[in-house]
Structure formats: structure tokens, C-alpha cells
Amino acid sequence: MVETVTTPFWWRCTQFHHPRRWLPAVFITHKAIITALWIAFLITLFWWQMDSTTTGILIFRRVFPSRQLPKLRHVAFNLTDFGGVGDGVTVNTAAFEKAVLAISRKGGGQLNVPPGYWLTAPFNLTSHMTLFLAEGAVILGVDDEKYWPLMPPLPSYGYGREHRGPRYGSLIHGQNLKDVVITGHNGTINGQGQAWWKKFRQKLLNHTRGPLVQIMWSTDILISNITLQNSPFWTLHPYDCKNVTIRNVTILAPIAGAPNTDGIDPDSCEDVLIENCYISVGDDGIAIKSGWDQYGIAYGRPSKNILIRNLVIRSNVSAGVSIGSEMSGGVSNVTVENVLIWNSRRAVRIKTAPGRGGYVRDITYRNLTFENVRVGIVIKTDYNEHADERFDPKAVPVLKDISYTSIHGEGVRVPVQIHGSKEIPVKNVTFRDMSVGLSYKKKHIFQCAFVQGRVIGTIFPAPCENLDLYDEQGHLIRRSDSQNATDIDYDI
């Protein structure tokens, strides 16, 4: 048996009188040092990217953090245990309130709503609660406004959006909560908004209508596997919340005659996931917001880290996915992908105005399909609807770093309308891989004003002259000298 003796690495590195030994040792030493430095650099870069609050291009771009699934509740109640009657006539407000109180006292739990029609006035949720709607369960909102409580205006809006002073609360409401789930076997929450819409059109309401579901100043919210229908006003309104997941939700309202029935309005929210939903409503399908004029600027809560994916949306009178116009707290790091927008007035829109302040930046649209849409892509900077006359017209928003990739469709009247202005130019817009079938033969169908950006590769229809042209490899073909030119057709 031969004993093998291994010479220590440090000893081999000191044998300078043997070049054949010394050179490999030095090489190995340098390689180890370089490898260690690279590992340290990558760890530092990863940590910086995850925590960075800058707005540059991030290699490890965070959309939202990892999420914990809600825990199973340790106790469950049925609404009938508290005197609930699902006949569509009996008012069950007291039953809901008693059930929520019992769950609160237990430190959490699940409320099962069985099949039936459960008429109720507005009620509040509590933390660590699951509201579970069985198949065939329908929660009906009382359509008489005297049963709806009045609440203070949202601090980032100044007053009730439609009227000064207080506003009506939501049918299902929550404030300062943690770990709330609304789910089921596709049960329905129906706001019975028809009476509200009629009174609004007749100007018989003295306060702003309430949303169907509104959760405020809360964290860890999951809404899934339900239908939301006929909201008096905005349908689902998370306000100043963190870690919100909305998935497998159907949202319905008439596409005409149901004013302001937005589908989902994340408002001053952070870390939001909206996926696998069907939305057909009387206003914007999704509208990302962050406060209105000087009130939103003062409140200072941006909407950020929002991922919207795998949706089908119809908005006959407005847009499929909007940002604004109330965006005074800022909107950033939004991705909209794999979305079909059909039979709509507009597909994706950013809307703002002087007086809003704030910013819209780091917005990514990709894999969008437009079908029978009047205007596909819209950026509008003159949406002059203000909270009151005290807004500052010099508070102009910043619009920049917006990209559109893999945009396709047919039956589109005007594919692109980017309406920047001298005071609000649109900066760093990118188009790549776009082919949209047209239903309009007028000359200016890709319309621009005060916009700077680029087109990469071949797109159809031909872009406006405001944009630089690059080939597929990213080589500059033509630099635009017409960024401030305008060919907006206001009759569209």
C-alpha cells in the first residue's frame, strides 16, 4: 500500500524556484479571487436591485413580492347560524354583522354564505376572515340609499368624486385589516345598481355613489372565484393597500347606461396581482389610480408594482385598461400582458392633465390583442376634470419609459394616439412587434404629438414621424427631428 502525501496549497505557491509549479498556482489563486469577487458583485447587485427605489432599468425587476397563501381558518360559521334568511326579501344586515363580530372575537374564521338570495345593507369585514360564497349564493345590496352609511371623503380626493362632502360607503367594506379573503364557488355579489344609475342620471343623489367592494389601508387581501355584478359605482376598489391578489373573478355591468362602473380600481396600492379575470362593464375595465390633483399630491401614496395578466375585457364606453386620470400620487412599475380587449372604445389608455402632478413611468404592455376597438393605444394629457378650482395648473405630470411589445389585432379604427403637449411631453416610448388590422382608411392613423421614443423593427401601420427608427438588431436607421410635430385628429 502506497501512502499518498498531498502538498499544502500554500507551500506549492511559495516554490518560486520551480516555474512549472509556480505559474499554475498563481493562475489558480487569481481565478479563485476573481470568482469570489464576481460572486460578491452579483450578490450585491441582486440585493440592490431588489431594494432599489430608482426608476432605471433593473436586471432583476420586481413586480411584486412572493406571497403566502391564506391559511385555513380554525373556525367556520354559517350565515344561517345568525338568523340569515336567503329569500331575497328579508334584510340580513344584522346577521352579517353578528357573524363578523363572532369571527372577530375568535381572532379569525370563515363565514359561509349558502345558496340563496341574501339581501343586505352595507357591512364591514374583519381581519383574518374568509367570506365564502357557495355556488348559487347571491349577496344582494339594498338599493335604497338611506340604508347606505355616509363616510368621509377619501383623503387623496378631497371630496366624494361626484359631490362635495361625504360619500356613500361600499356594500362590503373593510379598513385597517390584515389577511382577508373573499372567495367561493363562483357565488355572486350583486349591488343592484340599476336604481343608483337612474338617480345619478336624474341628478337625484346628493353624495357620491359607493363601490360594491372597498378595502382600505389593509394588507394581504385575496379576492378569487366570485362574480361581482351591477355595482352602484366602481366595482372593486382597493385603496392604499399592500399585497392584493385578484384572480378568477368575473365582473359584470351593462356596457351602456351603467355610469362609472369601473371593474377594478387599484388606488394608491402596492404589490398587486390581477389575473385570469373576465370584465365587461360600463366604464374602464381596470383603472389604476393614486389620488386627484392637490389632494393626491399631498397624500403622496403611489400605485406601484402591479401585474395585470391573462384577462378578457370589454368596455364599450371607455377603456380596457387605464392609468389615471387620478394619478397625482404617481404610478410606476406596471406590467400589462396577455390581455384581449374586444368591442371597446379604447384598449389601453394613460390619461392625465396639468394640475395632476405625479408621474407615470416604467409601464410595460406586451402580448395584447385588440378586436373591434375604436382606438387601440392612447396617451392623453388634456383630461381636464378637476377636484375643485384650487388645483395648481403648474403641477404637470411626468410621463416616461413606456413600452409596447407584441401588439396585434383587427378591426381597429386608430391603432395609436399619443397626445403629448408642450408642457407634458411623453418621453422614451418604445414600440416593437406591432401589427394591427385597420377599419379606417384616413391618412393619419398612427397619431402623435410631443412624443420622443423609438420603433424597433417593422410595425404596421407605419409609425408617426416623431419616433426614431431602429432595425431588429437595435441599430439606428433614422433619428427623428419632428418630436414636437402633431397630427392628432380630434374627430376620432
Side-chain angles (χ1 to χ4, degrees):
M1 180 176 179
V2 179
E3 182 179 359
T4 302
V5 179
T6 302
T7 306
F9 176 72
W10 64 268
W11 174 259
R12 284 185 281 122
C13 290
T14 61
Q15 309 307 299
F16 296 106
H17 57 286
H18 295 296
R20 292 181 181 179
R21 295 178 180 177
W22 175 75
L23 286 175
V26 172
F27 175 77
I28 294 172
T29 303
H30 287 180
K31 184 177 180 181
I33 293 172
I34 292 171
T35 301
L37 289 174
W38 266 108
I39 292 172
F41 170 76
L42 290 173
I43 292 173
T44 302
L45 179 61
F46 180 83
W47 181 263
W48 174 78
Q49 293 284 354
M50 291 298 290
D51 285 350
S52 175
T53 58
T54 65
T55 59
I57 298 175
L58 302 182
I59 297 174
F60 301 96
R61 189 177 183 193
R62 186 184 74 170
V63 176
F64 55 89
S66 59
R67 301 162 184 269
Q68 288 186 339
L69 293 175
K71 299 177 181 177
L72 294 176
R73 307 304 183 188
H74 64 280
V75 64
F77 299 100
N78 290 320
L79 187 60
T80 52
D81 297 338
F82 302 91
V85 179
D87 58 5
V89 177
T90 303
V91 178
N92 293 281
T93 313
F96 278 107
E97 291 175 341
K98 291 176 183 177
V100 173
L101 180 60
I103 289 172
S104 178
R105 288 174 173 171
K106 289 285 187 179
Q110 177 165 308
L111 174 59
N112 294 321
V113 182
Y117 292 86
W118 308 91
L119 186 66
T120 182
F123 64 92
N124 294 321
L125 303 177
T126 189
S127 291
H128 310 294
M129 173 181 177
T130 296
L131 178 64
F132 188 95
L133 280 70
E135 182 179 3
V138 181
I139 296 177
L140 293 171
V142 173
D143 61 4
D144 187 340
E145 67 270 19
K146 72 181 182 183
Y147 290 98
W148 289 59
L150 291 176
M151 301 184 64
L154 294 171
S156 60
Y157 284 74
Y159 69 102
R161 191 59 180 83
E162 295 178 333
H163 293 276
R164 295 181 185 274
R167 60 192 176 92
Y168 289 109
S170 57
L171 179 63
I172 296 178
H173 193 79
Q175 292 186 190
N176 302 303
L177 304 181
K178 183 175 177 60
D179 179 24
V180 172
V181 178
I182 304 175
T183 189
H185 292 152
N186 200 32
T188 298
I189 302 172
N190 188 332
Q192 300 200 103
Q194 294 85 346
W196 292 92
W197 309 331
K198 182 178 179 180
K199 290 178 181 178
F200 172 78
R201 290 192 298 267
Q202 294 175 346
K203 299 183 178 180
L204 298 177
L205 296 172
N206 296 319
H207 306 285
T208 298
R209 293 165 289 155
L212 187 62
V213 178
Q214 184 179 62
I215 310 294
M216 304 173 61
W217 304 305
S218 300
T219 60
D220 302 332
I221 309 300
L222 171 62
I223 300 175
S224 67
N225 301 310
I226 60 170
T227 295
L228 305 176
Q229 187 172 5
N230 295 336
S231 175
F233 190 56
W234 300 342
T235 303
L236 178 51
H237 186 210
Y239 179 83
D240 199 352
C241 292
K242 292 186 66 174
N243 194 19
V244 178
T245 300
I246 302 167
R247 63 162 59 102
N248 301 327
V249 174
T250 300
I251 301 179
L252 304 173
I255 58 175
N260 308 109
T261 50
D262 292 4
I264 305 171
D265 286 9
D267 199 339
S268 294
C269 287
E270 180 178 351
D271 301 333
V272 178
L273 172 63
I274 302 172
E275 65 179 356
N276 305 330
C277 297
Y278 177 85
I279 303 172
S280 177
V281 289
D283 208 303
D284 293 325
I286 293 175
I288 301 171
K289 303 175 181 292
S290 65
W292 201 7
D293 288 354
Q294 70 271 26
Y295 304 105
I297 294 172
Y299 192 69
R301 300 285 200 281
S303 282
K304 60 183 179 180
N305 304 336
I306 298 176
L307 174 59
I308 299 167
R309 64 187 180 192
N310 307 334
L311 270 63
V312 177
I313 305 176
R314 177 172 63 163
S315 174
N316 193 51
V317 301
S318 196
V321 179
S322 283
I323 298 176
S325 70
E326 308 94 324
M327 40 60 64
S328 301
V331 177
S332 67
N333 196 13
V334 176
T335 297
V336 181
E337 63 184 7
N338 305 334
V339 176
L340 166 64
I341 301 168
W342 66 289
N343 283 16
S344 297
R345 187 173 182 85
R346 305 168 191 88
V348 293
R349 174 170 65 166
I350 298 170
K351 47 183 178 176
T352 186
R356 292 288 189 270
Y359 53 84
V360 176
R361 65 192 184 206
D362 299 317
I363 312 298
T364 300
Y365 300 93
R366 59 174 171 251
N367 297 334
L368 305 185
T369 302
F370 307 153
E371 182 178 318
N372 190 22
V373 171
R374 187 177 180 88
V375 186
I377 293 168
V378 183
I379 300 179
K380 186 175 178 62
T381 59
D382 61 349
Y383 202 84
N384 289 309
E385 183 183 14
H386 298 284
D388 54 42
E389 66 281 357
R390 293 191 294 272
F391 74 94
D392 179 6
K394 295 182 180 180
V396 295
V398 174
L399 306 182
K400 66 176 185 177
D401 303 334
I402 305 165
S403 66
Y404 302 88
T405 303
S406 296
I407 312 297
H408 303 283
E410 61 181 5
V412 179
R413 186 175 174 89
V414 176
V416 177
Q417 188 178 76
I418 301 179
H419 185 187
S421 65
K422 185 176 181 179
E423 55 190 343
I424 310 176
V426 182
K427 299 180 179 180
N428 195 26
V429 177
T430 301
F431 289 89
R432 185 167 192 166
D433 182 20
M434 178 174 178
S435 178
V436 176
L438 306 175
S439 62
Y440 191 55
K441 303 302 180 183
K442 196 168 181 178
K443 179 180 178 181
H444 296 304
I445 52 180
F446 197 123
Q447 302 178 4
C448 298
F450 292 91
V451 56
Q452 172 269 324
R454 68 194 60 80
V455 171
I456 301 175
T458 302
I459 70 171
F460 181 84
C464 59
E465 296 182 355
N466 308 58
L467 304 173
D468 301 336
L469 298 182
Y470 290 77
D471 63 20
E472 290 286 356
Q473 288 70 44
H475 302 132
L476 179 65
I477 298 174
R478 177 184 63 80
R479 181 79 67 186
S480 172
D481 57 2
S482 306
Q483 294 175 1
N484 296 340
T486 178
D487 58 4
I488 301 294
D489 187 345
Y490 294 94
D491 295 329
I492 298 300

